[in-house]
């Protein structure tokens, strides 16, 4: 399976570390994993250092058409099966690109804070996602209710800890 992770966050913290660790786990299981991330973002060098192909994109609203066309090309060229989106902006642009090419979308929600009510949540978590993974069970019910998705379309997978790396 070919998976594309999108990330518009420029930071380097728990969310980005989890994305990279999951990508490593998927690669170890035989999948091809690629990254389309914010230019200069925290994942760029870390993912490259782990041997992943990383596309740096302008993940900002002012460049949305350019980013959309770049994502469409990556998805086609790498025959991506699943686009895994992680932050709000890349969920929009990555979700739209995937939908235009009839590809599956996994939306990972790393925050336990409330999501916006109304059309925003319906589009991001229902129309632009086939399945939602959360890192906290406390956000599952609000997502189900606000995005009008089935409980079967969302699951909590807490961030794991590798005990061998704890000092």
């Amino acid at each position: 399976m070919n998976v594309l992770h999108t990330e518009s966050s420029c930071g380097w913290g728990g969310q980005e570390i989890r994305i990279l660790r999951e990508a490593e786990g998927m690669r170890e299981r035989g999948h091809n994993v690629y990254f389309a991330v914010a230019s200069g973002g925290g994942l760029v060098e870390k993912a490259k250092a782990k041997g992943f192909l990383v596309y740096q994109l302008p993940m900002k609203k002012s460049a949305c058409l350019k980013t959309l066309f770049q994502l469409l090309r990556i998805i086609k060229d790498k025959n991506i099966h699943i686009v895994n989106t992680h932050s709000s902006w890349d969920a929009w642009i990555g979700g739209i690109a995937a939908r235009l090419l009839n590809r599956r979308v996994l939306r990972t929600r790393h925050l336990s804070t409330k999501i916006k009510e109304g059309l925003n949540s319906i589009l991001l978590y229902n129309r632009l996602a086939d399945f939602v993974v959360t890192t906290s069970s406390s956000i599952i019910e609000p997502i189900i209710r606000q995005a009008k998705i089935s409980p079967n379309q969302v699951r909590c997978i807490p961030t794991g800890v590798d005990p061998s790396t704890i000092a």
Side-chain angles (χ1 to χ4, degrees), residues 7 58 67 74 82 84 93 97 119 144 147 156 161 164 167:
E7 176 57 273
T67 304
I74 294 165
I82 296 176
N84 189 348
I93 200 79
L119 186 59
I144 291 169
C156 175
V161 176
S164 69

Side-chain angles (χ1 to χ4, degrees), residues 8-22:
S8 56
S9 167
C10 290
W12 177 252
Q15 176 169 318
E16 294 79 17
I17 293 168
R18 177 180 168 135
I19 295 166
L20 186 56
R21 292 294 301 140
E22 285 180 2

Side-chain angles (χ1 to χ4, degrees), residues 33 43 50 71 88 113 122 164:
V33 183
L43 265 173
K50 296 286 185 175
L71 283 170
S88 180
T113 56
I122 292 170
S164 69

Side-chain angles (χ1 to χ4, degrees), residues 32-48:
N32 299 309
V33 183
Y34 307 93
F35 287 86
V37 301
S39 297
L43 265 173
V44 173
E45 294 307 319
K46 303 283 188 182
K48 283 182 178 181

Side-chain angles (χ1 to χ4, degrees), residues 48-67:
K48 283 182 178 181
K50 296 286 185 175
F52 290 101
L53 179 56
V54 178
Y55 296 93
Q56 294 188 65
L57 306 180
M59 291 284 189
K60 51 191 175 188
K61 293 177 184 172
S62 63
C64 66
L65 285 178
K66 178 180 181 181
T67 304

